Amino acid sequence: MRSDFERYVEARTGALLRLAYLLTGDRHLAEDLVQEVLGRAHRRWGHIQRAENPHAYVRRMIVNQHISWRRRRSASEIPLAPTAVPDRSFAATDDPVLQRDVTWRALQRLPHRQRAVLVLRYYEDLTDAEIALTLNAAVGTVRSLAARAFARLRQDPSLADLDTHPITTQEIR
């Protein structure tokens, strides 16, 4: 007979992996992140299961662990500039694959909390209050982070036509 935790993992691993991928931008890092968080969640499952919404609790663990990883990595790793596809504005091409790539790169350049707010809002479809709970922040902070993220994206030269190509769930997948 399978435990409640095993049923949770079977039902929610796909959603957790997608969230982790959107936060990290790397499939392998996303898998590591989810594995680490599920290992920690397994040890505390009795406590987590008693929470009002266990999935929201684990989602918060994913976001917090991602932010923690980014802090540690930023002190020890030197990222290389991506060179596979040159950055171009949307006006330069009608190619949806290139547009998605340019949008994805712009999202990856956002600070981790700004990116987390956009991912949680547009991919997880959470309200500002739910995002605030996930990030352990005030609702006003969530709105401020979102506003700063959009301001930064509007200034990104690779997204010259952002107003005509809004960031949607399709764009960040």
Side-chain angles (χ1 to χ4, degrees):
M1 181 174 211
R2 294 182 338 193
S3 70
D4 288 340
F5 180 74
E6 288 174 299
R7 285 192 292 276
Y8 173 80
V9 169
E10 185 177 310
R12 298 293 188 145
T13 297
L16 294 174
L17 282 169
R18 283 187 296 275
L19 172 62
Y21 175 74
L22 290 170
L23 291 171
T24 64
D26 181 281
R27 188 183 72 156
H28 301 291
L29 281 177
E31 290 170 353
D32 290 346
L33 178 62
V34 169
Q35 182 176 5
E36 185 170 323
V37 166
L38 287 177
R40 289 179 34 230
H42 182 260
R43 290 189 295 276
R44 303 194 61 209
W45 189 247
H47 171 74
I48 293 169
Q49 195 173 9
R50 288 188 299 273
E52 185 176 322
N53 184 344
H55 183 62
Y57 193 103
V58 175
R59 182 174 47 224
R60 182 176 180 178
M61 290 175 71
I62 294 276
V63 172
N64 288 343
Q65 187 64 31
H66 165 68
I67 291 170
S68 174
W69 276 13
R70 293 267 314 233
R71 285 182 185 139
R72 274 188 271 148
R73 281 183 43 209
S74 68
S76 63
E77 293 184 8
I78 302 170
L80 298 176
T83 58
V85 178
D87 281 343
R88 298 183 189 165
S89 73
F90 285 129
T93 181
D94 290 331
D95 181 4
V97 173
L98 183 57
Q99 290 176 359
R100 198 169 346 185
D101 181 69
V102 169
T103 302
W104 182 245
R105 288 170 186 258
L107 284 171
Q108 288 179 327
R109 288 189 292 269
L110 291 175
H112 57 276
R113 286 176 55 93
Q114 289 177 13
R115 182 174 181 188
V117 166
L118 294 185
V119 167
L120 292 169
R121 180 181 282 176
Y122 293 102
Y123 182 78
E124 292 288 318
D125 202 27
L126 298 182
T127 65
D128 288 345
E130 292 168 324
I131 295 168
L133 284 173
T134 301
L135 295 178
N136 195 26
V139 173
T141 301
V142 169
R143 290 180 182 148
S144 175
L145 288 167
R148 285 188 207 141
F150 283 122
R152 194 166 175 164
L153 290 173
R154 276 191 222 72
Q155 294 173 355
D156 191 316
S158 68
L159 298 174
D161 292 336
L162 183 63
D163 292 335
T164 59
H165 292 82
I167 295 176
T168 65
T169 302
Q170 285 294 43
E171 291 296 329
I172 62 174
R173 279 190 188 173

